[in-house]
Amino acid sequence: MPKIIENLEEEIARSSLKLFKKNPYQNVSMRRIASEAGIAVGTLYNYYSNKWELYIGVFEESWKETYQILSANCKNTDNDYLKNYIEVLYSEMKEKKSIVRELFRYIMNDLEIGEEEQKEKFKRIRFPNVVINQIYELFIIILEKEFKVKLEKDDEDLYRLFAMLQTNIPLLQQNFKKEKQNIDFLYDLICSFVEKKIV
């Protein structure tokens, strides 16, 4: 009788992320993922048609978890809303950095795909749009709590600020190693922006 694994998709995601964090993308096979998850390779293919689709599915799922962490943190915090938000986002992006860097390297070196397919693959390993919108909406809620103001979520300047936060975290992590100072810098930058906006 085959063994039944509860929450199999979660187990596949957990096993895959564990392998992708420790190994280059091309060194992680579907067979190895199945073995790590304790399932047959055929069972894995019932869920994902190939390794790329599995990776993208797992990567998107990990960003949904980031949103859940940010959301829970927002609800459970009585003060320092913005600082907590930045700390969680910083930590989550740091955890995913090696996976994204490895995937970019893999796509750039794949000589079998054309330029259009390469662009499409790059697009898919960035923040998933639905999740990014949820994280952005949470960002607005955080700013409203922190500064006790009402903000318009379709304000282009606020979205620019949020986009800057996404791009600056990896740059700061790469070029400046002191995490607390990086977080303080981002916090001060955002505070300065919002304070000018609400004057």
Side-chain angles (χ1 to χ4, degrees):
M1 180 174 185
K3 75 175 179 181
I4 296 171
I5 300 174
E6 288 186 37
N7 305 319
L8 185 54
E9 283 188 81
E10 288 175 22
E11 182 57 32
I12 292 169
R14 188 195 62 72
S15 301
S16 302
L17 275 174
K18 181 179 170 187
L19 289 170
F20 284 126
K21 281 179 185 175
K22 294 180 180 176
N23 303 280
Y25 176 80
Q26 62 270 23
N27 291 357
V28 180
S29 66
M30 292 291 270
R31 182 174 303 285
R32 192 167 173 196
I33 292 166
S35 175
E36 181 73 27
I39 59 173
V41 177
T43 303
L44 183 57
Y45 278 106
N46 287 336
Y47 287 86
Y48 298 97
S49 58
N50 58 51
K51 182 171 72 169
W52 175 256
E53 290 304 320
L54 180 151
Y55 181 85
I56 292 301
V58 166
F59 188 63
E60 288 179 354
E61 197 57 42
S62 79
W63 276 114
K64 287 177 188 170
E65 287 175 19
T66 297
Y67 169 75
Q68 308 253 324
I69 293 166
L70 284 166
S71 183
N73 198 309
C74 175
K75 289 175 187 162
N76 296 328
T77 303
D78 294 331
N79 54 19
D80 295 328
Y81 304 106
L82 180 57
K83 183 83 70 139
N84 283 312
Y85 179 91
I86 295 168
E87 286 171 353
V88 171
L89 193 58
Y90 191 97
S91 171
E92 290 291 308
M93 289 180 82
K94 183 178 180 181
E95 186 178 308
K96 292 168 181 49
K97 183 173 72 174
S98 63
I99 297 172
V100 174
R101 185 176 48 234
E102 184 58 42
L103 255 188
F104 268 99
R105 192 175 296 135
Y106 168 74
I107 295 168
M108 290 298 293
N109 293 329
D110 188 350
L111 302 176
E112 295 177 17
I113 63 172
E115 196 174 314
E116 284 306 308
E117 188 178 351
Q118 192 178 61
K119 282 180 189 173
E120 188 57 36
K121 284 191 170 187
F122 278 137
K123 261 200 310 201
R124 289 201 61 197
I125 60 172
R126 298 186 190 281
F127 278 105
N129 282 340
V130 173
V131 179
I132 195 69
N133 289 337
Q134 291 175 323
I135 293 173
Y136 172 66
E137 287 172 13
L138 194 56
F139 180 64
I140 297 297
I141 292 167
I142 292 289
L143 293 179
E144 289 177 338
K145 280 181 159 185
E146 183 84 15
F147 296 96
K148 297 175 180 32
V149 294
K150 183 73 180 134
L151 299 168
E152 296 296 323
K153 75 175 185 178
D154 54 357
D155 181 322
E156 282 189 12
D157 288 338
L158 283 173
Y159 198 83
R160 263 191 208 97
L161 179 67
F162 178 67
M164 181 271 318
L165 183 62
Q166 293 173 52
T167 50
N168 280 356
I169 287 176
L171 288 172
L172 288 171
Q173 288 173 342
Q174 182 177 335
N175 296 305
F176 302 94
K177 301 303 178 198
K178 294 184 177 171
E179 190 170 308
K180 185 185 179 320
Q181 289 176 339
N182 288 342
I183 290 168
D184 289 343
F185 173 79
L186 292 169
Y187 175 80
D188 292 343
L189 191 69
I190 294 167
C191 286
S192 173
F193 175 92
V194 176
E195 285 163 2
K196 285 180 186 168
K197 187 111 185 133
I198 62 178
V199 166

